[in-house]
Amino acid sequence: MDRIITTEVANHVLFHYGRGGYQAGSFTEQIIKAIDMADPANRDKLALAFPDYVAAITAIQYDPDGVAHLTTIANPGEVAA
């Protein structure tokens, strides 16, 4: 998963879910909203064009450690206290 989720993508998805990060541009926000709302079949279709965003959104929605994982990707230079 780490290989396809960039720092920018992690920050955009964290922001969308109110967990830090920073806001994406308006087009990217609409992509994130579409992935967030998509049923599994449509999410699979969106993954063909936006695999990084689908991976990040899937992580934050379904992985109990998803927020921590994305936060680590979003802030690669920070060391956990």
Side-chain angles (χ1 to χ4, degrees):
M1 181 183 335
D2 293 343
R3 287 173 274 165
I4 64 170
I5 301 174
T6 65
T7 299
E8 181 176 55
V9 168
N11 275 293
H12 291 167
V13 172
L14 286 166
F15 183 87
H16 176 75
Y17 287 94
R19 303 302 294 238
Y22 53 81
Q23 190 169 18
S26 59
F27 178 77
T28 302
E29 284 182 1
Q30 295 304 314
I31 291 167
I32 293 168
K33 286 178 187 177
I35 295 167
D36 184 25
M37 297 173 52
D39 58 58
N42 284 309
R43 185 173 283 197
D44 289 345
K45 291 175 186 176
L46 288 163
L48 296 173
F50 308 101
D52 47 358
Y53 282 98
V54 171
I57 291 167
T58 300
I60 205 166
Q61 287 183 338
Y62 300 109
D63 180 353
D65 298 321
V67 171
H69 184 69
L70 291 178
T71 300
T72 298
I73 294 170
N75 303 296
E78 290 185 17
V79 178

